């Protein structure tokens, strides 16, 4: 006879269990993006044609991991690498990361600077946890992926630095310089999720200098330093002609205050393998290693060893990156040119030229307009219209903490084939032209 736990729960659980999670954790929210993606899956299951440009992930149908990774994982498993890895990563991977950073960024450091984890998220969370206390001031640009969740988890007084599209959605040096006094953590990400833009050399250099000045002022005052959490998980995926800039390469004196976060998740289309790392001064590596160890967020040993083998074959690493960049560029260029052509026709859409990662910023400028049963008061109504009329699913910048109802959306191209994307762009063009184009003057009567 088996015991029916659901029945026990139904008769005894509810009331009191609702009180089990208390305080800030009770207000913790799940990912908005995953909620939207679930809606897309539902619509598809109902038979609606929807191009899913929502999730910042790769579909293995279109994007395979480098063959070294799958082969070497199998080799490591067969060789019995099935026990706990060292808490800060296997020495082979730490050494391979050191060599990668020297080769690609011109930075030289010992393996004690590296802390390996199961993807980029554990070091990000660990950095927030270790370098802030509840009530501390923290900073980031806006929009930015997930930073609001981390600030909420750590109960910091978070200040989003508002940005503009013409600055690539990055803050200016002046904005950062003014905000730094008293701040414990500044989180930046380039190339940036959700916008697909990359930070200018002058801007990251100026921010790094401001950080050095701020921390020099704090020296001897008893005030803790401000840490720059520099998330560069997309750094090996710049668009053609775009260069990735790193604060430490430009201003070496900022090295003591910079925590780099990185992973194979995006740059090798390997989001499910769970290998990431932080590069940070050894004095900070100890506490990070302990925290990651206590929550058991290690990367599996076979994946670590396979990553080390891949990174230590520079020609294979470069070939894999070239192939992935080519696939992404083909998709981003297709979407960008399609939207630019719509804009040239006078339609109310705009895209920011992609500079890296898998994202494109799309503006659908319908706020305040109305249309046969549709009233576009907010991004959510535009999002629903795009799904229903054009079969195109995108994520509003609200999912990245931007509250302005200004018609900005993230398009993510990692889960679609070129044909599917091309067809989606044609549907989008037709839907916008039908409703808002000069060719449909009869439809324009109620536009605001
Ligand atoms: C900027 C940024 N950092 C970190 C991550 C998380 O990476 P991982 O899957 O390695 O935890 C993501 C995932 O979307 C991201 O966009």
């Amino acid at each position: 006879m088996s015991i029916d736990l659901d029945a026990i729960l139904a008769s005894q659980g509810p009331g009191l269990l609702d009180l089990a999670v208390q305080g800030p954790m009770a207000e913790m929210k799940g990912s908005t993006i995953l909620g939207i993606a679930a809606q897309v899956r539902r619509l598809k299951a109902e038979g609606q044609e929807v191009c899913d440009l929502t999730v910042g992930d790769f579909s293995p149908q279109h994007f395979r991991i480098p063959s070294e990774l799958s082969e070497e994982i199998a080799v490591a498993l067969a060789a019995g690498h099935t026990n706990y890895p060292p808490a800060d990563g296997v020495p082979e991977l730490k050494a391979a990361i050191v060599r990668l950073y020297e080769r690609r960024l011109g930075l030289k450091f010992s393996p004690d600077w590296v802390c390996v984890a199961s993807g980029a998220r554990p070091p990000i969370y660990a950095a927030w946890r270790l370098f802030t206390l509840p009530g501390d001031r923290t900073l980031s640009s806006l929009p930015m992926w997930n930073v609001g969740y981390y600030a909420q988890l750590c109960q910091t007084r978070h200040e989003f630095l508002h940005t503009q599209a013409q600055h690539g959605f990055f803050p200016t040096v002046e904005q950062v310089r003014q905000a730094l006094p008293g701040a414990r953590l500044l989180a930046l990400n380039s190339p940036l999720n959700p916008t697909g833009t990359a930070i200018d050399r002058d801007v990251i250099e100026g921010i790094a200098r401001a950080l050095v000045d701020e921390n020099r002022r704090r020296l001897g005052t008893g005030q803790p330093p401000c840490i720059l959490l520099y998330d560069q998980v997309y750094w090996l995926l710049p668009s053609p002609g775009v260069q990735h800039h790193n604060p430490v390469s430009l201003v070496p004196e900022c090295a003591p205050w910079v925590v780099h976060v990185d992973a194979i998740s995006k740059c090798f289309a390997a989001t499910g393998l769970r290998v990431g790392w932080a590069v940070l001064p050894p004095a900070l590596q100890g506490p990070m290693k302990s925290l990651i160890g206590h929550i058991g967020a290690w990367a599996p040993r076979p994946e670590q060893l396979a990553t080390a083998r891949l990174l230590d074959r520079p020609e294979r690493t470069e070939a894999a990156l070239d192939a992935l960049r080519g696939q992404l560029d083909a998709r981003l260029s297709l979407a960008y040119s399609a939207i630019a052509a719509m804009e040239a026709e006078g339609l109310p859409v705009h895209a920011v030229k992609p500079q890296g990662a898998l994202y494109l910023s799309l503006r659908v400028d319908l706020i305040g307009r109305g249309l046969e049963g549709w009233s576009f008061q907010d991004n959510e109504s535009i999002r629903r219209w795009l799904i229903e009329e054009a079969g195109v699913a995108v994520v509003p910048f609200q999912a990245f903490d931007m509250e302005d109802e200004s018609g900005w959306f993230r398009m993510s191209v990692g889960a679609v084939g070129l044909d599917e994307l091309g067809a989606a762009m044609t549907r989008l063009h037709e839907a916008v032209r039908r409703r808002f184009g000069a060719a449909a003057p009869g439809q324009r009567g109620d536009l605001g």
Side-chain angles (χ1 to χ4, degrees):
M1 204 194 86
S2 51
I3 300 170
D4 185 345
L5 297 193
D6 288 313
I8 295 176
L9 210 55
S11 66
Q12 322 225 352
L16 203 53
L17 268 191
D18 288 348
L19 303 176
V21 182
Q22 286 288 312
M25 292 303 117
E27 278 141 42
M28 196 167 44
K29 293 196 180 67
S31 161
T32 317
I33 306 170
L34 297 184
I36 295 174
Q39 182 204 16
V40 173
R41 276 197 301 278
R42 233 177 10 255
L43 289 172
K44 280 179 146 178
E46 287 163 18
Q48 194 172 322
E49 187 170 26
V50 181
C51 180
D52 187 355
L53 302 174
T54 61
V55 189
D57 196 1
F58 298 93
S59 86
Q61 183 196 345
H62 303 289
F63 293 88
R64 307 300 299 197
I65 59 171
S67 53
E68 274 75 9
L69 286 178
S70 32
E71 285 159 19
E72 295 290 347
I73 288 169
V75 169
L77 274 175
H81 289 285
T82 48
N83 54 333
Y84 286 133
D88 52 348
V90 301
E92 293 89 333
L93 179 55
K94 293 175 60 164
I97 291 165
V98 167
R99 286 189 278 270
L100 173 74
Y101 273 47
E102 180 158 21
R103 215 162 57 226
R104 302 275 316 216
L105 294 172
L107 300 178
K108 212 169 153 207
F109 46 88
S110 77
D112 291 343
W113 284 63
V114 181
C115 188
V116 175
S118 56
R121 282 172 174 85
I124 296 175
Y125 174 67
W128 277 84
R129 196 88 249 167
L130 291 171
F131 309 129
T132 70
L133 287 173
D136 277 348
R137 262 185 80 232
T138 49
L139 307 171
S140 72
S141 52
L142 179 76
M144 190 171 154
W145 172 85
N146 269 17
V147 82
Y149 297 126
Y150 292 111
Q152 205 244 336
L153 282 174
C154 294
Q155 290 289 286
T156 65
R157 276 186 299 125
H158 191 69
E159 187 182 328
F160 283 110
L161 303 172
H162 289 252
T163 63
Q164 295 177 23
Q166 78 251 34
H167 296 145
F169 295 102
F170 288 101
T172 63
V173 176
E174 205 34 50
Q175 260 179 302
V176 175
R177 201 172 264 286
Q178 281 185 11
L180 274 180
R184 291 291 313 275
L185 186 102
L186 163 63
L188 291 176
N189 160 229
S190 180
L192 178 62
N193 181 5
T195 60
T197 49
I199 200 161
D200 280 351
R201 181 193 162 107
D202 291 353
V203 175
I204 190 62
E205 184 174 346
I207 290 175
R209 287 198 194 290
L211 182 75
V212 170
D213 293 345
E214 173 63 22
N215 282 336
R216 279 204 182 125
R217 258 196 303 278
R218 294 188 194 184
L219 208 65
T221 65
Q223 209 190 339
C226 180
I227 299 293
L228 169 57
L229 180 59
Y230 196 63
D231 178 339
Q232 50 173 25
V233 294
Y234 301 98
W235 70 289
L236 297 168
L237 299 179
S239 298
V242 176
Q243 216 197 322
H244 172 70
H245 297 293
N246 170 283
V248 181
S249 307
L250 295 168
V251 182
E253 310 90 278
C254 75
W257 328 118
V258 177
V259 173
H260 292 89
V261 176
D262 204 345
I264 63 165
S265 308
K266 309 292 174 155
C267 293
F268 296 98
T271 50
L273 296 194
R274 310 312 302 148
V275 179
W277 56 87
V279 172
L280 73 175
L284 305 180
Q285 195 256 23
M288 181 165 285
K289 167 175 148 179
S290 301
L291 180 49
I292 284 175
H294 292 319
I295 55 178
W298 307 298
R301 216 179 236 278
E303 277 79 346
Q304 291 197 43
L305 289 167
T307 304
R309 305 259 152 78
L310 173 63
L311 297 182
D312 269 341
R313 287 181 202 155
E315 70 301 338
R316 282 301 306 138
T317 300
E318 293 309 316
L321 291 171
D322 277 347
L324 181 52
R325 281 192 294 254
Q327 284 181 285
L328 289 173
D329 182 47
R331 286 161 175 76
L332 291 169
S333 299
L334 186 158
Y336 176 68
S337 338
I339 293 158
M342 296 179 217
E343 190 178 8
E345 227 178 81
L347 298 174
V349 292
H350 173 71
V352 177
K353 197 168 185 331
Q355 294 182 298
L358 24 154
Y359 310 116
L360 185 73
S361 296
L362 164 71
R363 186 163 191 212
V364 185
D365 192 7
L366 300 184
I367 298 289
R369 299 186 182 209
L371 185 82
E372 294 169 354
W374 289 93
S375 159
F376 298 115
Q377 299 309 327
D378 52 22
N379 286 5
E380 176 56 19
S381 51
I382 302 174
R383 184 188 76 78
R384 281 191 281 110
W385 184 78
L386 289 170
I387 286 203
E388 288 188 24
E389 294 259 331
V392 173
V394 291
V395 179
F397 274 14
Q398 269 77 7
F400 309 98
D401 288 300
M402 200 162 118
E403 286 172 2
D404 318 2
E405 301 292 353
S406 46
W408 281 106
F409 297 90
R410 181 187 84 172
M411 295 173 71
S412 175
V413 299
V416 287
L418 272 174
D419 292 347
E420 190 189 347
L421 182 62
M425 289 300 107
T426 306
R427 286 199 304 274
L428 178 64
H429 199 154
E430 283 166 358
V432 181
R433 191 193 275 146
R434 195 164 57 238
R435 300 302 202 171
F436 301 101
Q443 305 281 350
R444 305 195 57 158
D446 59 351
L447 297 190

